[in-house]
């Protein structure tokens, strides 16, 4: 099997088994988040202070053909509305008067009926002057009531009239606005696009820089800052750029979504293939070559998670007969050449007798030699 010459991957931010290093790493992640937080704060301040991000006050009014006629209609409508408010007030007062009048009449009527009932039925009531007087008073009250009713009706007519006037003016206004709508929408789209382009011009270099730093420097000692900058760029992308994408009826948003998904998917597929390729190339090497290239702490960390340090498949490390990985053939356990204790082939020293195993690598990691020895 011919594969590309295996190259050792760039030294990652090595994970060692040393306890303090764990805490240093956690602390550095916190540093990375804090760094991102300050960058985000600074970025929002810069954006807020940029003149082109101030909200503008343009409305559809600025696009009507005859601006003075439009203004005149608006003030006419305001006048009519004010008049209508006055009439409404008048109506309420008059209505209140009418209700009071109706109560007064009802009370008078009731007291008259009671008075009539207490009188002797035999008495002639028609010609009785007292009866005539009281009936006359009731008639006057009734006449006042109907006068109030007429007045109220007159007010209602004026109300209706104002309402028609307002409707009429509003129709004219909306017709003028409908004519202006096209230009107004064009203006909105143009503004939306300009604002987005400004934002793109400012954020794109940041995003490209973040991408470049992430690809090149995330495995270096500066990784907390690279990640912090990456968080910042992600925030900028989703908060300062994506919401301002011109909409164009949803086309752009869905389009960008599709492009991004394809982009991320392609990257993931590429990463997976690169990983498999690397592993295949690695497995083509001899056990000792692989072992010498492997990171000491990383190998131990993988063994602790029951994973083969070379092919990264799960293994049963509880099995005391497990000396070689059945999948890739790497040497996992061996017997010390001095005291014969079974020990991890990745250890630098025998844990029983303290023999350094480094010088013996070629002999120990060759399965053929190992099998003849036992
Ligand atoms: Zn393996
Ligand atoms: Zn030993």
């Amino acid at each position: 099997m011919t594969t590309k010459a295996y190259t050792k991957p760039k030294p990652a931010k090595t994970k060692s088994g040393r306890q303090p290093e764990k805490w240093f790493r956690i602390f550095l992640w916190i540093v990375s988040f804090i760094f991102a937080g300050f960058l985000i704060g600074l970025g929002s301040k810069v954006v807020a202070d940029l003149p082109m991000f101030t909200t503008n006050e343009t409305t559809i009014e600025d696009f009507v053909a005859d601006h003075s006629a439009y203004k005149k209609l608006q003030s006419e409508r305001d006048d009519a509305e004010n008049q209508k408010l006055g009439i409404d007030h008048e109506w309420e007062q008059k209505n209140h008067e009418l209700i009071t009048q109706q109560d007064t009449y009802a009370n008078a009527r009731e007291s008259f009926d009671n008075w009539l009932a207490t009188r002797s039925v035999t008495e002639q009531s028609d010609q009785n002057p007292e009866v005539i007087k009281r009936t006359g008073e009731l008639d006057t009250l009734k006449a006042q009531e109907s006068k109030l009713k007429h007045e109220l009706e007159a007010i209602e007519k004026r109300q209706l009239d104002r309402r028609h006037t307002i409707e009429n003016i509003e129709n004219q206004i909306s017709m003028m606005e409908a004519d202006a709508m096209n230009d107004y929408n064009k203006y909105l789209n143009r503004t939306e696009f300009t604002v987005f382009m400004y934002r793109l011009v400012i954020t794109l270099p940041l995003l490209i820089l973040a991408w470049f730093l992430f690809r090149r420097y995330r495995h270096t000692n500066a990784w907390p800052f690279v990640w912090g900058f990456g968080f910042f760029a992600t925030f900028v992308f989703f908060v300062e750029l994506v919401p301002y994408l011109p909409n164009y009826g949803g086309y752009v948003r869905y389009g960008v979504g599709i492009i991004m998904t394809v982009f991320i998917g392609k990257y993931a597929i590429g990463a997976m293939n690169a990983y498999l390729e690397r592993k295949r190339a690695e497995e083509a090497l001899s056990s000792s070559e692989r072992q010498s290239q492997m990171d000491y702490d990383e190998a131990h960390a993988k063994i602790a998670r029951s994973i083969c340090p070379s092919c990264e498949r799960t293994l049963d490390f509880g099995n005391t007969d497990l000396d070689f990985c059945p999948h890739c053939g790497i040497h996992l356990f061996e017997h010390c050449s001095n005291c014969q204790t079974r020990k991890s082939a990745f250890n630098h020293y025998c844990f029983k007798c303290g023999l350094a195993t480094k010088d013996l690598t070629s002999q120990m990691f060759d399965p053929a030699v190992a099998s003849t020895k036992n």
Side-chain angles (χ1 to χ4, degrees), residues 306-309 311 313-318 322 324-327 332:
S306 299
I307 291 170
C308 168
C311 70
R313 293 182 177 95
T314 44
L315 293 173
D316 174 17
F317 281 95
L322 184 83
F324 297 91
C325 172
H327 308 293
L332 297 168

Side-chain angles (χ1 to χ4, degrees), residues 41-106:
L42 181 69
S44 342
K45 269 222 84 66
V46 169
V47 165
D49 289 343
L50 287 176
M52 56 267 199
F53 291 114
T54 52
T55 52
N56 73 43
E57 309 278 317
T58 312
T59 62
I60 190 156
E61 205 183 301
D62 303 308
F63 294 89
V64 289
D66 191 346
H67 197 251
S68 62
Y70 183 81
K71 275 277 169 218
K72 196 166 154 268
L73 280 174
Q74 273 189 329
S75 78
E76 274 172 22
R77 183 194 53 194
D78 292 347
D79 287 347
E81 265 167 1
N82 281 335
Q83 285 167 9
K84 192 178 161 289
L85 279 179
I87 299 169
D88 288 347
H89 188 66
E90 226 177 291
W91 183 89
E92 263 164 44
Q93 276 182 330
K94 195 58 80 180
N95 193 41
H96 183 74
E97 268 178 58
L98 177 64
I99 290 166
T100 319
Q101 184 65 35
Q102 280 168 336
D103 282 351
T104 315
Y105 176 76

Side-chain angles (χ1 to χ4, degrees), residues 17-54:
R18 300 180 213 273
Q19 281 299 319
E21 199 183 327
K22 262 189 196 166
W23 293 106
F24 280 126
R25 295 187 65 77
I26 291 170
F27 176 72
L28 285 174
W29 274 113
I30 294 169
V31 167
S32 150
F33 283 120
I34 291 172
F35 182 59
F38 280 123
L39 284 175
I40 289 167
L42 181 69
S44 342
K45 269 222 84 66
V46 169
V47 165
D49 289 343
L50 287 176
M52 56 267 199
F53 291 114
T54 52

Side-chain angles (χ1 to χ4, degrees), residues 186-335:
K186 268 189 206 154
Y187 164 80
L188 285 183
N189 284 339
R190 213 165 46 234
T191 316
E192 209 180 38
F193 184 72
T194 318
V195 166
F196 176 72
M197 287 316 281
Y198 275 133
R199 284 178 176 270
L200 190 68
V201 165
I202 292 170
T203 52
L204 195 63
L206 279 179
L207 296 175
I208 293 172
L209 180 64
W211 179 247
F212 169 78
L213 289 177
F214 192 73
R215 296 209 64 170
R216 281 288 290 277
Y217 295 106
R218 72 178 186 276
H219 293 308
T220 64
N221 283 336
W223 68 264
F225 300 105
V226 173
W227 277 89
F229 196 79
F231 293 140
F232 164 62
T234 313
F235 178 86
V236 163
F237 179 72
F238 283 107
V239 174
E240 299 289 359
L241 195 61
V242 169
Y244 297 90
L245 268 175
N247 200 3
Y248 297 124
Y251 288 106
V252 172
R253 255 161 233 199
Y254 287 116
V256 169
I258 290 167
I259 291 168
M260 271 186 60
T261 315
V262 169
F263 186 69
I264 292 168
K266 250 196 77 161
Y267 182 76
I269 293 168
M272 186 183 78
N273 285 340
Y275 167 79
L276 291 177
E277 179 72 20
R278 206 168 63 230
K279 283 293 150 192
R280 266 197 292 272
E282 214 176 295
E283 281 167 31
L285 298 175
S286 78
S287 182
S288 54
E289 275 175 307
R290 271 187 270 167
Q291 207 130 17
S292 66
Q293 286 177 349
M294 214 162 278
D295 183 82
Y296 177 78
D297 287 306
E298 221 173 276
H300 280 276
K302 282 175 188 165
I303 290 169
R305 284 183 284 141
S306 299
I307 291 170
C308 168
S310 179
C311 70
E312 300 187 332
R313 293 182 177 95
T314 44
L315 293 173
D316 174 17
F317 281 95
N319 175 6
T320 49
D321 286 334
L322 184 83
D323 284 349
F324 297 91
C325 172
H327 308 293
C328 68
I330 198 164
H331 206 168
L332 297 168
F333 290 94
E334 64 196 357
H335 292 270

